[in-house]
Amino acid sequence: MKKISLISQFNQSIGFLFLTAVLLFSCKENIEKDHSKEELADKMELHLKMEVLDKWYPKAMDTVDGGFLSNFTYDFQPEEKQEKMIVTQSRHVWTNAKASKKYPDIAYFKEGAAHGFEFLKDKMWDDENGGFHWLVDKQGNPIGNSMKTAYGNAFGIFALAAYYDASKDESALELAKEAFYWLDTHAYDSINGGYYQHLTADGMPISRPSSTPSTSDLGYKDQNSSIHILEALTELYYVWPDPLLKDRLEEMLLLIRDQIVTEKGYLTLFLLPDWTPVSFVDSTEEVILAHHQLDHVSFGHDVETGFLMIEASETLGLENDQKTHEIAKKMIDHALENGWDESVGGFYDEGYYFNNGFRITHDTKNWWAQAEGMNALLLMAELYPDDPHHYFEKFLKLWEYTDAYLIDHENGDWYSGGLDKQPELKTVGKGNIWKSIYHHYRSLDHCISRLREMAESEDS
């Protein structure tokens, strides 16, 4: 396993601090009150560099056993227990690959992406059966349930494609192709379309009979694996425009847009193999709430999907794709109209259409939904600047909410949920197998770039 020199890390960190100091000097003292797009981009980039990237890297790189450490305390000390999930490991590889292109002079992003790729290839990939293991221990030995998932394999593909784009390492593209073919061979539903989520270790789909009600999601198809398969295939198609891949990408876009998104503009969370929605709306409120994991409105996924559909359409080169834009806008509008906190800003976690009307069922505000919300709102502000939803004003309010309630300005990174609703999260760990850096890295990166493009457009 390749070791990263501590001296090299120190020298690169000094260079990183110099860059951030230059950027800090360029920011105005009262930027909090000045919403000049260029100045706001500067502030967000300063946060991205100093309070996010600089906290995670290179510290998160496991130079002993490979890959990335998962578990960190609230003040960024590595926890004693460490396990490694395909989703987290892939997100770290993806982030380092993207950061290596954004900041090419900072060597440890390139090293980190290569370092993580080696772990995906040597430890996370199942050499016997193919596909990516779901969970391994710190040393890379499979642990827990041997079941594989389309969701996990999608993130493996996502990371490999981004790493190839950044490094041009042909072995990464070859493994990305192998992973795509494995997923397509084993998880693709040739009858109903789309992909099964759950698979045995050797790749047999696990399908749930419609007559078996349960609070478990085992055997259902679902929106979450579907949208991240869409995301992964988009990333792969960008570097490998293969005809079969194009067919699958377009199919996933249409399937999500036209079947999984409801008429009201939110995602059905779980579905039977034939894409019949799983719904408990005609049950008692007690039954509905007991099954809320399977059936609710998830505002974070809705705003994220709006962006992912537009990204997929553009990557496919679909011209004048008015329907995708309309549905994406409808989803983001629905989230604003039903799941937005008008008082301080932020998207709530869950709501439900009971027979007697809609109401919020979980008013907490997890970190990733706010990150995806900022990205989606600014995209809408650029596409529809005069819309009565006032997307740019909502974006500003969400950034101010994030700055006040989610960003830990003392210890770095983001709390896992807004402190206005969950103040106890202030001392909860910053990292675990479900919380790393990808959601807010992507949001900040996209918002910084979009703000600068919008400022340039206004000046020209």
Side-chain angles (χ1 to χ4, degrees), residues 433-447:
I433 58 172
W434 285 109
K435 183 181 182 294
S436 57
I437 187 174
Y438 131 94
H439 284 288
H440 47 304
Y441 175 84
R442 176 172 66 190
S443 176
L444 290 164
D445 181 32
H446 285 202
C447 289

mmCIF file with all atom_site columns, all heavy atoms in Angstrom, residues 433-447:
data_model
loop_
_atom_site.group_PDB
_atom_site.id
_atom_site.type_symbol
_atom_site.label_atom_id
_atom_site.label_alt_id
_atom_site.label_comp_id
_atom_site.label_asym_id
_atom_site.label_entity_id
_atom_site.label_seq_id
_atom_site.pdbx_PDB_ins_code
_atom_site.Cartn_x
_atom_site.Cartn_y
_atom_site.Cartn_z
_atom_site.occupancy
_atom_site.B_iso_or_equiv
_atom_site.pdbx_formal_charge
_atom_site.auth_seq_id
_atom_site.auth_comp_id
_atom_site.auth_asym_id
_atom_site.auth_atom_id
_atom_site.pdbx_PDB_model_num
ATOM 1   N N   . ILE A 1 433 ? -19.673 6.245  8.517  1.00 0.00 ? 433 ILE A N   1
ATOM 2   C CA  . ILE A 1 433 ? -19.789 5.647  7.180  1.00 0.00 ? 433 ILE A CA  1
ATOM 3   C C   . ILE A 1 433 ? -20.897 6.281  6.346  1.00 0.00 ? 433 ILE A C   1
ATOM 4   O O   . ILE A 1 433 ? -20.900 6.153  5.122  1.00 0.00 ? 433 ILE A O   1
ATOM 5   C CB  . ILE A 1 433 ? -19.982 4.112  7.245  1.00 0.00 ? 433 ILE A CB  1
ATOM 6   C CG1 . ILE A 1 433 ? -21.225 3.736  8.057  1.00 0.00 ? 433 ILE A CG1 1
ATOM 7   C CG2 . ILE A 1 433 ? -18.732 3.444  7.784  1.00 0.00 ? 433 ILE A CG2 1
ATOM 8   C CD1 . ILE A 1 433 ? -21.571 2.257  8.001  1.00 0.00 ? 433 ILE A CD1 1
ATOM 9   N N   . TRP A 1 434 ? -21.818 7.020  6.995  1.00 0.00 ? 434 TRP A N   1
ATOM 10  C CA  . TRP A 1 434 ? -22.874 7.694  6.247  1.00 0.00 ? 434 TRP A CA  1
ATOM 11  C C   . TRP A 1 434 ? -22.658 9.195  6.134  1.00 0.00 ? 434 TRP A C   1
ATOM 12  O O   . TRP A 1 434 ? -23.410 9.880  5.455  1.00 0.00 ? 434 TRP A O   1
ATOM 13  C CB  . TRP A 1 434 ? -24.241 7.420  6.880  1.00 0.00 ? 434 TRP A CB  1
ATOM 14  C CG  . TRP A 1 434 ? -24.728 6.034  6.591  1.00 0.00 ? 434 TRP A CG  1
ATOM 15  C CD1 . TRP A 1 434 ? -24.823 4.995  7.465  1.00 0.00 ? 434 TRP A CD1 1
ATOM 16  C CD2 . TRP A 1 434 ? -25.161 5.528  5.326  1.00 0.00 ? 434 TRP A CD2 1
ATOM 17  N NE1 . TRP A 1 434 ? -25.298 3.871  6.824  1.00 0.00 ? 434 TRP A NE1 1
ATOM 18  C CE2 . TRP A 1 434 ? -25.517 4.171  5.507  1.00 0.00 ? 434 TRP A CE2 1
ATOM 19  C CE3 . TRP A 1 434 ? -25.285 6.084  4.050  1.00 0.00 ? 434 TRP A CE3 1
ATOM 20  C CZ2 . TRP A 1 434 ? -25.987 3.363  4.477  1.00 0.00 ? 434 TRP A CZ2 1
ATOM 21  C CZ3 . TRP A 1 434 ? -25.755 5.282  3.009  1.00 0.00 ? 434 TRP A CZ3 1
ATOM 22  C CH2 . TRP A 1 434 ? -26.103 3.941  3.234  1.00 0.00 ? 434 TRP A CH2 1
ATOM 23  N N   . LYS A 1 435 ? -21.663 9.720  6.811  1.00 0.00 ? 435 LYS A N   1
ATOM 24  C CA  . LYS A 1 435 ? -21.407 11.162 6.722  1.00 0.00 ? 435 LYS A CA  1
ATOM 25  C C   . LYS A 1 435 ? -19.937 11.398 6.397  1.00 0.00 ? 435 LYS A C   1
ATOM 26  O O   . LYS A 1 435 ? -19.060 11.129 7.222  1.00 0.00 ? 435 LYS A O   1
ATOM 27  C CB  . LYS A 1 435 ? -21.770 11.888 8.016  1.00 0.00 ? 435 LYS A CB  1
ATOM 28  C CG  . LYS A 1 435 ? -21.581 13.409 7.895  1.00 0.00 ? 435 LYS A CG  1
ATOM 29  C CD  . LYS A 1 435 ? -21.917 14.139 9.170  1.00 0.00 ? 435 LYS A CD  1
ATOM 30  C CE  . LYS A 1 435 ? -21.776 15.653 8.993  1.00 0.00 ? 435 LYS A CE  1
ATOM 31  N NZ  . LYS A 1 435 ? -20.385 16.085 8.763  1.00 0.00 ? 435 LYS A NZ  1
ATOM 32  N N   . SER A 1 436 ? -19.710 11.894 5.221  1.00 0.00 ? 436 SER A N   1
ATOM 33  C CA  . SER A 1 436 ? -18.341 12.267 4.850  1.00 0.00 ? 436 SER A CA  1
ATOM 34  C C   . SER A 1 436 ? -18.394 13.659 4.236  1.00 0.00 ? 436 SER A C   1
ATOM 35  O O   . SER A 1 436 ? -18.819 14.604 4.894  1.00 0.00 ? 436 SER A O   1
ATOM 36  C CB  . SER A 1 436 ? -17.710 11.229 3.924  1.00 0.00 ? 436 SER A CB  1
ATOM 37  O OG  . SER A 1 436 ? -18.496 11.029 2.749  1.00 0.00 ? 436 SER A OG  1
ATOM 38  N N   . ILE A 1 437 ? -18.062 13.808 2.985  1.00 0.00 ? 437 ILE A N   1
ATOM 39  C CA  . ILE A 1 437 ? -17.824 15.154 2.458  1.00 0.00 ? 437 ILE A CA  1
ATOM 40  C C   . ILE A 1 437 ? -18.496 15.408 1.118  1.00 0.00 ? 437 ILE A C   1
ATOM 41  O O   . ILE A 1 437 ? -18.632 16.547 0.694  1.00 0.00 ? 437 ILE A O   1
ATOM 42  C CB  . ILE A 1 437 ? -16.294 15.394 2.356  1.00 0.00 ? 437 ILE A CB  1
ATOM 43  C CG1 . ILE A 1 437 ? -15.973 16.844 1.965  1.00 0.00 ? 437 ILE A CG1 1
ATOM 44  C CG2 . ILE A 1 437 ? -15.629 14.398 1.456  1.00 0.00 ? 437 ILE A CG2 1
ATOM 45  C CD1 . ILE A 1 437 ? -14.489 17.160 1.998  1.00 0.00 ? 437 ILE A CD1 1
ATOM 46  N N   . TYR A 1 438 ? -19.009 14.374 0.464  1.00 0.00 ? 438 TYR A N   1
ATOM 47  C CA  . TYR A 1 438 ? -19.414 14.530 -0.941 1.00 0.00 ? 438 TYR A CA  1
ATOM 48  C C   . TYR A 1 438 ? -20.564 15.510 -1.169 1.00 0.00 ? 438 TYR A C   1
ATOM 49  O O   . TYR A 1 438 ? -20.501 16.348 -2.074 1.00 0.00 ? 438 TYR A O   1
ATOM 50  C CB  . TYR A 1 438 ? -19.698 13.140 -1.510 1.00 0.00 ? 438 TYR A CB  1
ATOM 51  C CG  . TYR A 1 438 ? -20.964 12.896 -2.268 1.00 0.00 ? 438 TYR A CG  1
ATOM 52  C CD1 . TYR A 1 438 ? -20.997 13.002 -3.664 1.00 0.00 ? 438 TYR A CD1 1
ATOM 53  C CD2 . TYR A 1 438 ? -22.125 12.487 -1.614 1.00 0.00 ? 438 TYR A CD2 1
ATOM 54  C CE1 . TYR A 1 438 ? -22.150 12.720 -4.360 1.00 0.00 ? 438 TYR A CE1 1
ATOM 55  C CE2 . TYR A 1 438 ? -23.276 12.206 -2.314 1.00 0.00 ? 438 TYR A CE2 1
ATOM 56  C CZ  . TYR A 1 438 ? -23.293 12.332 -3.687 1.00 0.00 ? 438 TYR A CZ  1
ATOM 57  O OH  . TYR A 1 438 ? -24.434 12.059 -4.392 1.00 0.00 ? 438 TYR A OH  1
ATOM 58  N N   . HIS A 1 439 ? -21.615 15.454 -0.363 1.00 0.00 ? 439 HIS A N   1
ATOM 59  C CA  . HIS A 1 439 ? -22.772 16.321 -0.608 1.00 0.00 ? 439 HIS A CA  1
ATOM 60  C C   . HIS A 1 439 ? -22.391 17.798 -0.538 1.00 0.00 ? 439 HIS A C   1
ATOM 61  O O   . HIS A 1 439 ? -22.727 18.583 -1.430 1.00 0.00 ? 439 HIS A O   1
ATOM 62  C CB  . HIS A 1 439 ? -23.885 16.046 0.405  1.00 0.00 ? 439 HIS A CB  1
ATOM 63  C CG  . HIS A 1 439 ? -24.655 14.801 0.163  1.00 0.00 ? 439 HIS A CG  1
ATOM 64  N ND1 . HIS A 1 439 ? -25.560 14.670 -0.870 1.00 0.00 ? 439 HIS A ND1 1
ATOM 65  C CD2 . HIS A 1 439 ? -24.662 13.613 0.818  1.00 0.00 ? 439 HIS A CD2 1
ATOM 66  C CE1 . HIS A 1 439 ? -26.097 13.460 -0.838 1.00 0.00 ? 439 HIS A CE1 1
ATOM 67  N NE2 . HIS A 1 439 ? -25.574 12.799 0.173  1.00 0.00 ? 439 HIS A NE2 1
ATOM 68  N N   . HIS A 1 440 ? -21.718 18.190 0.532  1.00 0.00 ? 440 HIS A N   1
ATOM 69  C CA  . HIS A 1 440 ? -21.422 19.623 0.669  1.00 0.00 ? 440 HIS A CA  1
ATOM 70  C C   . HIS A 1 440 ? -20.230 20.040 -0.178 1.00 0.00 ? 440 HIS A C   1
ATOM 71  O O   . HIS A 1 440 ? -20.151 21.201 -0.567 1.00 0.00 ? 440 HIS A O   1
ATOM 72  C CB  . HIS A 1 440 ? -21.309 20.071 2.123  1.00 0.00 ? 440 HIS A CB  1
ATOM 73  C CG  . HIS A 1 440 ? -20.489 19.237 3.043  1.00 0.00 ? 440 HIS A CG  1
ATOM 74  N ND1 . HIS A 1 440 ? -20.699 17.898 3.252  1.00 0.00 ? 440 HIS A ND1 1
ATOM 75  C CD2 . HIS A 1 440 ? -19.445 19.569 3.852  1.00 0.00 ? 440 HIS A CD2 1
ATOM 76  C CE1 . HIS A 1 440 ? -19.833 17.444 4.139  1.00 0.00 ? 440 HIS A CE1 1
ATOM 77  N NE2 . HIS A 1 440 ? -19.051 18.435 4.515  1.00 0.00 ? 440 HIS A NE2 1
ATOM 78  N N   . TYR A 1 441 ? -19.325 19.108 -0.509 1.00 0.00 ? 441 TYR A N   1
ATOM 79  C CA  . TYR A 1 441 ? -18.281 19.497 -1.467 1.00 0.00 ? 441 TYR A CA  1
ATOM 80  C C   . TYR A 1 441 ? -18.910 19.834 -2.816 1.00 0.00 ? 441 TYR A C   1
ATOM 81  O O   . TYR A 1 441 ? -18.606 20.869 -3.412 1.00 0.00 ? 441 TYR A O   1
ATOM 82  C CB  . TYR A 1 441 ? -17.224 18.401 -1.656 1.00 0.00 ? 441 TYR A CB  1
ATOM 83  C CG  . TYR A 1 441 ? -16.244 18.808 -2.740 1.00 0.00 ? 441 TYR A CG  1
ATOM 84  C CD1 . TYR A 1 441 ? -15.163 19.625 -2.426 1.00 0.00 ? 441 TYR A CD1 1
ATOM 85  C CD2 . TYR A 1 441 ? -16.450 18.474 -4.078 1.00 0.00 ? 441 TYR A CD2 1
ATOM 86  C CE1 . TYR A 1 441 ? -14.297 20.077 -3.416 1.00 0.00 ? 441 TYR A CE1 1
ATOM 87  C CE2 . TYR A 1 441 ? -15.591 18.925 -5.071 1.00 0.00 ? 441 TYR A CE2 1
ATOM 88  C CZ  . TYR A 1 441 ? -14.522 19.727 -4.740 1.00 0.00 ? 441 TYR A CZ  1
ATOM 89  O OH  . TYR A 1 441 ? -13.681 20.183 -5.721 1.00 0.00 ? 441 TYR A OH  1
ATOM 90  N N   . ARG A 1 442 ? -19.770 18.955 -3.301 1.00 0.00 ? 442 ARG A N   1
ATOM 91  C CA  . ARG A 1 442 ? -20.392 19.195 -4.610 1.00 0.00 ? 442 ARG A CA  1
ATOM 92  C C   . ARG A 1 442 ? -21.194 20.492 -4.611 1.00 0.00 ? 442 ARG A C   1
ATOM 93  O O   . ARG A 1 442 ? -21.099 21.297 -5.544 1.00 0.00 ? 442 ARG A O   1
ATOM 94  C CB  . ARG A 1 442 ? -21.302 18.026 -5.009 1.00 0.00 ? 442 ARG A CB  1
ATOM 95  C CG  . ARG A 1 442 ? -22.042 18.293 -6.315 1.00 0.00 ? 442 ARG A CG  1
ATOM 96  C CD  . ARG A 1 442 ? -22.784 17.089 -6.817 1.00 0.00 ? 442 ARG A CD  1
ATOM 97  N NE  . ARG A 1 442 ? -23.880 16.686 -5.955 1.00 0.00 ? 442 ARG A NE  1
ATOM 98  C CZ  . ARG A 1 442 ? -24.551 15.548 -6.101 1.00 0.00 ? 442 ARG A CZ  1
ATOM 99  N NH1 . ARG A 1 442 ? -24.202 14.700 -7.044 1.00 0.00 ? 442 ARG A NH1 1
ATOM 100 N NH2 . ARG A 1 442 ? -25.542 15.244 -5.293 1.00 0.00 ? 442 ARG A NH2 1
ATOM 101 N N   . SER A 1 443 ? -21.980 20.693 -3.569 1.00 0.00 ? 443 SER A N   1
ATOM 102 C CA  . SER A 1 443 ? -22.810 21.887 -3.512 1.00 0.00 ? 443 SER A CA  1
ATOM 103 C C   . SER A 1 443 ? -21.958 23.150 -3.513 1.00 0.00 ? 443 SER A C   1
ATOM 104 O O   . SER A 1 443 ? -22.207 24.079 -4.297 1.00 0.00 ? 443 SER A O   1
ATOM 105 C CB  . SER A 1 443 ? -23.686 21.852 -2.262 1.00 0.00 ? 443 SER A CB  1
ATOM 106 O OG  . SER A 1 443 ? -24.429 23.036 -2.145 1.00 0.00 ? 443 SER A OG  1
ATOM 107 N N   . LEU A 1 444 ? -20.954 23.194 -2.655 1.00 0.00 ? 444 LEU A N   1
ATOM 108 C CA  . LEU A 1 444 ? -20.115 24.387 -2.571 1.00 0.00 ? 444 LEU A CA  1
ATOM 109 C C   . LEU A 1 444 ? -19.371 24.619 -3.873 1.00 0.00 ? 444 LEU A C   1
ATOM 110 O O   . LEU A 1 444 ? -19.292 25.750 -4.369 1.00 0.00 ? 444 LEU A O   1
ATOM 111 C CB  . LEU A 1 444 ? -19.138 24.248 -1.405 1.00 0.00 ? 444 LEU A CB  1
ATOM 112 C CG  . LEU A 1 444 ? -19.773 24.310 -0.008 1.00 0.00 ? 444 LEU A CG  1
ATOM 113 C CD1 . LEU A 1 444 ? -18.810 23.773 1.042  1.00 0.00 ? 444 LEU A CD1 1
ATOM 114 C CD2 . LEU A 1 444 ? -20.210 25.731 0.339  1.00 0.00 ? 444 LEU A CD2 1
ATOM 115 N N   . ASP A 1 445 ? -18.818 23.563 -4.445 1.00 0.00 ? 445 ASP A N   1
ATOM 116 C CA  . ASP A 1 445 ? -18.083 23.683 -5.705 1.00 0.00 ? 445 ASP A CA  1
ATOM 117 C C   . ASP A 1 445 ? -18.978 24.231 -6.811 1.00 0.00 ? 445 ASP A C   1
ATOM 118 O O   . ASP A 1 445 ? -18.622 25.173 -7.524 1.00 0.00 ? 445 ASP A O   1
ATOM 119 C CB  . ASP A 1 445 ? -17.527 22.304 -6.088 1.00 0.00 ? 445 ASP A CB  1
ATOM 120 C CG  . ASP A 1 445 ? -16.719 22.338 -7.375 1.00 0.00 ? 445 ASP A CG  1
ATOM 121 O OD1 . ASP A 1 445 ? -16.082 23.373 -7.665 1.00 0.00 ? 445 ASP A OD1 1
ATOM 122 O OD2 . ASP A 1 445 ? -16.716 21.328 -8.100 1.00 0.00 ? 445 ASP A OD2 1
ATOM 123 N N   . HIS A 1 446 ? -20.176 23.663 -6.939 1.00 0.00 ? 446 HIS A N   1
ATOM 124 C CA  . HIS A 1 446 ? -21.096 24.113 -7.985 1.00 0.00 ? 446 HIS A CA  1
ATOM 125 C C   . HIS A 1 446 ? -21.579 25.540 -7.725 1.00 0.00 ? 446 HIS A C   1
ATOM 126 O O   . HIS A 1 446 ? -21.684 26.342 -8.665 1.00 0.00 ? 446 HIS A O   1
ATOM 127 C CB  . HIS A 1 446 ? -22.300 23.166 -8.071 1.00 0.00 ? 446 HIS A CB  1
ATOM 128 C CG  . HIS A 1 446 ? -21.971 21.863 -8.727 1.00 0.00 ? 446 HIS A CG  1
ATOM 129 N ND1 . HIS A 1 446 ? -22.926 21.060 -9.308 1.00 0.00 ? 446 HIS A ND1 1
ATOM 130 C CD2 . HIS A 1 446 ? -20.806 21.218 -8.922 1.00 0.00 ? 446 HIS A CD2 1
ATOM 131 C CE1 . HIS A 1 446 ? -22.355 19.979 -9.821 1.00 0.00 ? 446 HIS A CE1 1
ATOM 132 N NE2 . HIS A 1 446 ? -21.070 20.061 -9.587 1.00 0.00 ? 446 HIS A NE2 1
ATOM 133 N N   . CYS A 1 447 ? -21.893 25.842 -6.474 1.00 0.00 ? 447 CYS A N   1
ATOM 134 C CA  . CYS A 1 447 ? -22.399 27.186 -6.167 1.00 0.00 ? 447 CYS A CA  1
ATOM 135 C C   . CYS A 1 447 ? -21.331 28.243 -6.415 1.00 0.00 ? 447 CYS A C   1
ATOM 136 O O   . CYS A 1 447 ? -21.630 29.328 -6.939 1.00 0.00 ? 447 CYS A O   1
ATOM 137 C CB  . CYS A 1 447 ? -22.888 27.250 -4.728 1.00 0.00 ? 447 CYS A CB  1
ATOM 138 S SG  . CYS A 1 447 ? -24.425 26.335 -4.432 1.00 0.00 ? 447 CYS A SG  1
#
